[in-house]
């Protein structure tokens, strides 16, 4: 697995500083390390600890290794390309509806009316209007729309 450097490890009255060990398992706030190859521990200490110790993530120097960002946890190239394809389709879909939203906005008095004319949801209409700077009606179902939107 991944080799990490530990700044400080205390067990009873003994202290170990700046030693390397293999990352065995991650927990929420700690990691289990395999010390069988570490030179900082004696044979007897390794036997006492059963070749494994648990250390706080804060005491590890390589933060990326314990945060779960190594090659196994990275998404595959196929997954990344499929995500990009989905976002591209969404962008194309918004472009396709921009003209319809602009026409419906000029003919309607409320945002809900625009959504009904186009046949899409209000949030979708708002995203398209924001992206293509289309002025939507200022009224929403007969009530004034909040100015911060």
């Amino acid at each position: 697995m991944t080799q990490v450097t530990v700044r400080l490890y205390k067990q009873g009255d003994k202290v170990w500083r700046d030693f390397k060990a293999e990352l065995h398992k991650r927990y929420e706030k700690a990691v289990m390390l395999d010390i069988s190859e570490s030179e900082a521990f004696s044979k007897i200490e390794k036997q006492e600890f059963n070749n494994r110790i648990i250390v706080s993530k804060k005491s590890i120097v390589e933060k990326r290794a314990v945060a779960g960002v190594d090659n196994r946890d990275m998404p595959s190239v196929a997954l990344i390309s499929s995500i990009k394809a989905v976002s591209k389709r969404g962008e194309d879909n918004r472009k396709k509806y921009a003209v319809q939203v602009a026409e419906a906005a000029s003919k309607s008095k409320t945002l809900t009316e625009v959504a009904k004319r186009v046949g899409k949801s209000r949030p979708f209409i708002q995203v398209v209007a924001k992206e293509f700077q289309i002025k939507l009606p200022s009224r929403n179902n007969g009530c004034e729309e909040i100015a911060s939107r």
Side-chain angles (χ1 to χ4, degrees), residues 32-137:
M32 182 185 286
L33 300 174
D34 181 12
I35 58 169
S36 60
E37 302 295 320
S38 180
E39 297 172 5
F41 295 89
S42 67
K43 260 187 176 178
I44 297 168
E45 290 169 339
K46 288 179 186 178
Q47 286 177 347
E48 285 177 17
F49 295 137
N50 201 18
N51 289 329
R52 294 197 179 125
I53 59 172
I54 295 182
V55 178
S56 170
K57 283 186 178 180
K58 291 179 182 178
S59 64
I60 305 288
V61 176
E62 295 87 358
K63 298 296 181 195
R64 291 181 62 95
V66 296
V69 185
D70 60 356
N71 292 339
R72 305 182 290 118
D73 298 338
M74 295 296 276
S76 66
V77 175
L79 178 64
I80 292 171
S81 62
S82 68
I83 290 170
K84 286 181 181 177
V86 168
S87 63
K88 182 72 174 161
R89 277 193 306 246
E91 187 179 314
D92 292 342
N93 195 24
R94 289 191 298 275
K95 283 180 186 176
K96 183 173 80 174
Y97 281 99
V99 175
Q100 292 178 14
V101 169
E103 287 177 18
S106 65
K107 297 177 185 173
S108 305
K109 292 183 181 178
T110 66
L111 180 60
T112 305
E113 210 174 298
V114 174
K116 284 180 181 175
R117 284 182 188 225
V118 176
K120 288 290 188 177
S121 66
R122 286 180 27 210
F124 179 81
I125 299 296
Q126 289 173 326
V127 168
V128 169
K130 186 176 181 181
E131 189 172 328
F132 295 98
Q133 298 161 351
I134 299 169
K135 181 138 174 44
L136 291 173

